Amino acid sequence: MGSFFRSLVSIAALCNSVVLVHANPVETSFVPRQATKGFTCSYPGYQNCNSYRDRSCWVKKGGKTYDIDTDYEDEFPVGIKRTFNLEISEKVVSPDGFPKVAQVVNGQFPGPLVEACWGDTIVVNVKNTIKNNGTTMHFHGLRMFHENNFDGANAITQCPIAQDGSFTYEFQLRQYGHSWYHSHYSSQYGEGSLGPVVIHGPSTANWDEELAPIMVHEWHHASAYDAFHESMFSPAPPKADLITLNGVGRNHELGTGSYFQTTFERGKKYLLRITNSAIDFHFHFSIDNHMLQVVSVDYVPIKPFWTNSLSIGIGQRYGVIVRANQTASTNGKYWIRTEYFDGKVEDSTFCQFPQQNYPPNQTDTQRVGILSYKGASLDEPKTTRWPVTVGCKDPVFEPHLKWRVTSPQNDVLKNVRYVGIDRSKEAHGAFRWLLAEQPQWLNYSNPTLLNIANTSWSSDYVLEPYPYKNPEGFVYFIINSGGGPNKLTGGTHPIHLHGHDFAILSQGAGPFDVANSIYNTENPPRRDTAMLPAMGHLVLAYKTDNPGAWLLHCHIGWHAGSGMSLQILERQQEISSWIGGPAAFEPAKKGCRHWDAFLAKHKDDPDVFNPEKQDDSGI
C-alpha cells in the first residue's frame, strides 16, 4: 500500500473523528449476531449490507462496497476506536478442582474476549501486577501493518513490562476472523495469561448465530516455568494434567472437573471459532455426528469445504459452520472431542508425545465437551466418534482471495534450514531446539527495534536481514525437520510468522529437494501458522511489504523458550519512517527504563529474574 493511500486512510479517520465530536451524525450501527450481548459494529457514514441471508457483504460507502471480495491487505472500512484494559495478575484458579496460583488476565482464565469489527482501531492498556515478573501482550496473527512497535514480542519490539508497570498497544484491524492474545514473556501464557480475539467481518458462507470462541488449552498443575525447565533436561516434554475448553476440563485421573457445555437450537446454523492455545498439545477436533463446514483458516477467508474433523496445531484457528440438524443421539447430546496421535519419534508418523492422562489409544478420555440440543436430558451423551484417522497434517484449502506467488527475491539455496534439537552440543546449559545454526538468545533489556541503526548484530539474536524493497515481491523460506549437517532430531512443529500471512508452496514428507523444486504458486494455502511435518518439510513464501523486526518461531512453548526461533529484519532502513518516526520508539524506550530500574532494585532478590541466570530464549 502506497504512502498516498495511507494518508487518505489517516485523513478519513481524522475527519470521522471530527464529525463525530462536532456534528454528531447518524452512524451505521448493527449487531453481527455474535455471542456478546449488546455489542454492535459502528461505521460513521457507512451503510450496513450484512445479514444472516448474505454474510458475504459488510458495509458500503460512496459507491464502494466492502465485502468478502475486498482485498483486505489494501482496503478496509474505517470503524471506531475501542479501548480494552487488561491486567496480568496472580490468582488461584482450579479448572479441574485442583488449586493453582496462575498468572491470569483480569482475574480469569482464559482472559476476557477482545471483540471488535473490521477496520476498528484497538487501544489495549496492559498493566502488570504479577510479583517478580515481566510481561508483554502479543495479538497472534495480526499483521500490525505500520505497527511493528506494538507487536508485543519482548526483547524484539519492547522490553518486558515491569512489575506494577503498564504499556499501551494501539493498532488498526485490517483483517477479520478470530485469534487470541497471549503473553510472549517466557512460559507465561502456559500459566494462563491469554484470551480470545474476535474481529467481525464478512464470511464465505451463511450462518444464523455465532457462539463464543472456543479455546483449547492444556493445563499443568505444576508451574509452567518449572515444566519448561524440566523439558530442557528430559527426553520427553512434561505431561499435562488437563485439557480445557475455555478453562473447563475433566480430569480423568482424579475424577474431578467437568466437561465444556454448549447448546444448539434445532434447525439453526452456528459459527464456531476454534483456537489451539496450548503449550505442547496438538489436537484433532470433532463433534459426533456433525459435519464441519470450514470457512476460515487463521485470519484467511477460504472457499468453504466440508470435513468431519480438523487437525489443529498450536496457534492455528478455524472458523466452522455446524448445522443443528442431527437426530442420531437418543438423548439429544453429542460428544465434542479433541483427540491426538503420538506416533514414533524417529520417523514421519510422529505427531507428539503421549499425554499420560489422555492415552492416545483410549479415545473416551479425549472427550472434552458436550453439545446439547435444547430440551436434551441431563445424562451424558451416548454417541460414538467419527471413524476418522487422527493425525497432525494441515488440511488443504483454497483461499477466497487469490494470490499468485512470483519468483523469489532472495537466494533460495541460502535459505534452506534444518531444524530440530541438537544433541551433539549444549548451548546455554542444555541441548536446545534450533531454527537456525544456533538457538536464539535475547537480552530482555536490549530489544532489536531500539537498535535498528545497527550495522552488525550479536549472533545470539539469530537475525536474517531482508532488504528487498518490492512490497509485492516474495521471499522463500525452506524448513526441513531434522537431519542436516548436525543430524538434528526432528519432530512436528507449528511454525508461526509475525507480521505476515504466508503462502505454503510445499509441505510434506522428506527434506525438500531444492535441485528439483516444485512449488505450488497458484493460489496456494495461506495462513500465519503451519505445521512442519516430522522428518518432512515446509516451504513458505511471504511478501516483503511490512518493514519491521518480525519473529519466526515454533509455537510449542517449550521449543520457543529453548531457542527455536529467529528474527527477520525486513527493510531495515525504512522501519523508522514506516512505523511513525522517532516518536514511535518512545513508549518502548520508556518501558525499557522501567524494566532496567526494576531489575536494579531487585538485583539481590532470588525470586526476580536475573539476566545472569537466564534459561529461556527470551520469547
Side-chain angles (χ1 to χ4, degrees), residues 504-525:
I504 301 173
L505 304 187
S506 185
Q507 183 180 31
F512 187 72
D513 187 352
V514 180
N516 299 287
S517 57
I518 299 176
Y519 299 114
N520 177 16
T521 59
E522 295 299 327
N523 200 33

Side-chain angles (χ1 to χ4, degrees), residues 309-373:
S309 61
L310 278 170
S311 169
I312 309 181
I314 300 170
Q316 293 185 327
R317 295 91 65 206
Y318 290 90
V320 303
I321 296 172
V322 182
R323 286 163 168 76
N325 59 2
Q326 295 303 304
T327 59
S329 172
T330 58
N331 64 359
K333 292 191 169 185
Y334 301 82
W335 287 113
I336 300 172
R337 304 173 188 265
T338 57
E339 301 176 331
Y340 74 97
F341 183 71
D342 52 353
K344 298 179 180 179
V345 69
E346 65 272 10
D347 62 29
S348 61
T349 66
F350 181 72
C351 282
Q352 68 177 64
F353 287 94
Q355 296 288 340
Q356 62 186 9
N357 293 337
Y358 303 87
N361 61 345
Q362 297 180 21
T363 57
D364 284 353
T365 66
Q366 297 169 50
R367 302 179 305 196
V368 293
I370 298 174
L371 165 62
S372 301
Y373 281 59

Side-chain angles (χ1 to χ4, degrees), residues 348 393 479-481 504 506-512 531-539:
S348 61
K393 291 183 178 179
I479 308 174
N480 295 307
S481 175
I504 301 173
S506 185
Q507 183 180 31
F512 187 72
M531 296 307 300
L532 169 64
M535 308 305 292
H537 68 270
L538 176 67
V539 182

Side-chain angles (χ1 to χ4, degrees), residues 283-314:
F283 66 88
H284 211 94
F285 181 88
S286 66
I287 305 174
D288 289 356
N289 300 100
H290 289 76
M291 294 290 288
L292 312 175
Q293 185 184 25
V294 186
V295 295
S296 67
V297 176
D298 297 352
Y299 274 129
V300 178
I302 69 167
K303 180 180 178 180
F305 70 89
W306 290 90
T307 184
N308 54 21
S309 61
L310 278 170
S311 169
I312 309 181
I314 300 170

Side-chain angles (χ1 to χ4, degrees), residues 92-114:
V92 175
V93 299
S94 51
D96 59 348
F98 184 94
K100 170 185 174 177
V101 177
Q103 296 177 335
V104 296
V105 185
N106 289 10
Q108 64 187 69
F109 165 70
L113 171 65
V114 170

Side-chain angles (χ1 to χ4, degrees), residues 183-199:
S183 169
H184 234 298
Y185 179 90
S186 188
S187 301
Q188 197 167 90
Y189 90 72
E191 290 288 270
S193 54
L194 53 86
V197 176
V198 170
I199 306 171

Side-chain angles (χ1 to χ4, degrees), residues 15-29 43-46:
C15 290
N16 284 333
S17 174
V18 172
V19 172
L20 278 173
V21 172
H22 297 293
N24 193 27
V26 176
E27 69 178 47
T28 295
S29 297
Y43 293 92
Y46 290 74

Side-chain angles (χ1 to χ4, degrees), residues 135-139 144 147-161 167 169 171 182-185 449 498 549-551 618-619:
T135 194
T136 60
M137 197 57 68
H138 170 65
F139 284 77
M144 297 294 175
E147 295 150 347
N148 181 226
N149 47 322
F150 296 131
D151 190 47
N154 49 218
I156 295 179
T157 61
Q158 66 178 103
C159 293
I161 305 168
F167 190 90
Y169 302 85
F171 45 90
H182 63 83
S183 169
H184 234 298
Y185 179 90
L449 196 61
H498 290 211
W550 302 110
L551 189 62
I619 63 162

